[in-house]
């Protein structure tokens, strides 16, 4: 069974699971499995409290199996202090409702690790679209984060080398916002690097999402 842990474009997999990324104000809760979160790019001080209320309501739905994507991005024009404030509030909601979190992180890995420790977060945290070097990967997996790999795994040999080193019990695969790359293609390259990856990810899914 193939599991797409993070997608913006559901394909209705006949044999598999997709966790469809959604936002609080534009949400379709008829999807079989989805995540909902406040992305750091779209934080609006005028509407954030209303969105947090909507988010908390959605986290109580059975088919909302994760919070996200949310996180920190140092390359967007949203104040980092505001991002941190909103991120912490979302992590505490995830902790309250025991939902895994799908993270968007750009140039802020150490900050995210520090916040996890500060808030004593126990729910699974998944870095989506991971495409950094092994040193960054190691700092994350040793701090209990999961790493989700997407389209960059197909053609980036350095990332493939990193993928080989990551403990597979902390790995997921995804398509993110790509319309061109299918989850089957990502699985194909991942399987060439680790023949047991499909079975392992299915086990990871059951553990992380209580399925």
């Amino acid at each position: 069974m193939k599991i797409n842990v993070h997608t913006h474009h559901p394909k209705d997999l006949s044999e598999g699971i997709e966790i469809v990324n959604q936002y609080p104000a534009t949400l379709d809760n008829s999807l079989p499995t989805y995540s909902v979160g406040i992305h750091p790019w779209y934080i609006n001080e005028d509407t954030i409290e209303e969105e947090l209320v909507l988010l908390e309501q959605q986290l109580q739905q059975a088919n909302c199996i994760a919070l996200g994507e949310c996180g920190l991005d140092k390359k967007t024009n949203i104040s980092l202090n505001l991002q941190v404030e909103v991120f912490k509030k979302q992590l505490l909601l995830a902790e309250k409702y025991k939902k895994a979190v799908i993270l968007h992180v750009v140039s802020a890995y150490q900050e995210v690790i520090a916040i996890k420790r500060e808030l004593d977060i126990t729910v699974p945290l998944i870095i989506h679209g991971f495409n950094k070097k092994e040193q960054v990967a190691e700092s994350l997996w040793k701090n209990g984060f999961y790493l989700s790999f997407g389209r960059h795994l197909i053609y980036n040999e350095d990332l493939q080398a990193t993928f080989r080193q990551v403990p597979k019990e902390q790995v997921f695969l995804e398509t993110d916002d790509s319309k061109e790359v299918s989850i089957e293609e990502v699985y194909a390259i991942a399987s060439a690097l680790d023949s047991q990856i499909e079975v392992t990810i299915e086990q990871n899914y059951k553990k992380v999402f209580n399925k």
Side-chain angles (χ1 to χ4, degrees):
M1 181 173 67
K2 292 178 172 60
I3 293 159
N4 189 345
V5 83
H6 179 69
T7 180
H8 294 253
H9 305 290
K11 306 283 190 198
D12 297 323
L13 295 178
S14 58
E15 294 183 6
I17 294 166
E18 300 173 301
I19 302 178
V20 182
N21 182 82
Q22 299 205 75
Y23 303 104
T26 58
L27 185 141
D28 175 6
N29 60 11
S30 69
L31 294 166
T33 49
Y34 63 89
S35 66
V36 59
I38 301 167
H39 194 292
W41 291 357
Y42 307 129
I43 295 171
N44 183 330
E45 286 188 271
D46 295 332
T47 60
I48 189 61
E49 293 305 323
E50 178 184 343
E51 289 187 325
L52 286 166
V53 169
L54 291 171
L55 176 59
E56 183 164 11
Q57 291 171 351
Q58 285 304 317
L59 289 174
Q60 297 172 66
Q61 303 302 312
N63 49 341
C64 176
I65 67 170
L67 190 155
E69 61 186 294
C70 66
L72 302 178
D73 189 330
K74 288 186 177 179
K75 295 187 177 180
T76 190
N77 59 4
I78 303 295
S79 155
L80 185 61
N81 287 338
L82 179 59
Q83 289 185 53
V84 168
E85 178 186 345
V86 175
F87 179 46
K88 287 181 176 180
K89 288 180 178 179
Q90 291 185 90
L91 288 180
L92 292 173
L93 283 174
E95 194 73 19
K96 178 179 179 179
Y97 293 101
K98 300 303 176 189
K99 301 283 186 176
V101 183
I102 296 169
L103 298 177
H104 169 99
V105 184
V106 176
S107 301
Y109 293 103
Q110 293 309 309
E111 287 85 348
V112 167
I113 290 170
I115 289 169
K116 177 181 187 288
R117 289 174 178 166
E118 175 193 342
L119 299 181
D120 193 23
I121 298 300
T122 63
V123 294
L125 302 179
I126 304 165
I127 304 282
H128 101 80
F130 185 80
N131 64 352
K132 301 303 178 185
K133 295 182 179 179
E134 185 179 336
Q135 183 179 2
V136 178
E138 185 174 1
S139 70
L140 290 164
W141 88 60
K142 286 186 173 179
N143 280 283
F145 289 80
Y146 291 76
L147 303 183
S148 179
F149 296 80
R151 59 185 175 86
H152 295 287
L153 189 64
I154 295 172
Y155 58 82
N156 186 328
E157 292 184 0
D158 289 340
L159 189 61
Q160 291 172 16
T162 297
F163 179 84
R164 287 189 179 97
Q165 300 305 313
V166 180
K168 297 307 179 289
E169 63 272 16
Q170 289 173 251
V171 162
F172 285 103
L173 299 175
E174 65 174 74
T175 57
D176 192 15
D177 60 355
S178 176
K179 293 182 178 179
E180 294 76 28
V181 175
S182 69
I183 194 63
E184 289 82 5
E185 290 174 278
V186 182
Y187 263 89
I189 189 66
S191 296
L193 299 168
D194 183 328
S195 62
Q196 296 300 308
I197 198 65
E198 187 167 342
V199 172
T200 304
I201 288 179
E202 186 172 345
Q203 292 170 344
N204 294 348
Y205 175 78
K206 290 175 180 177
K207 178 176 67 174
V208 168
F209 298 101
N210 300 312
K211 299 298 181 184

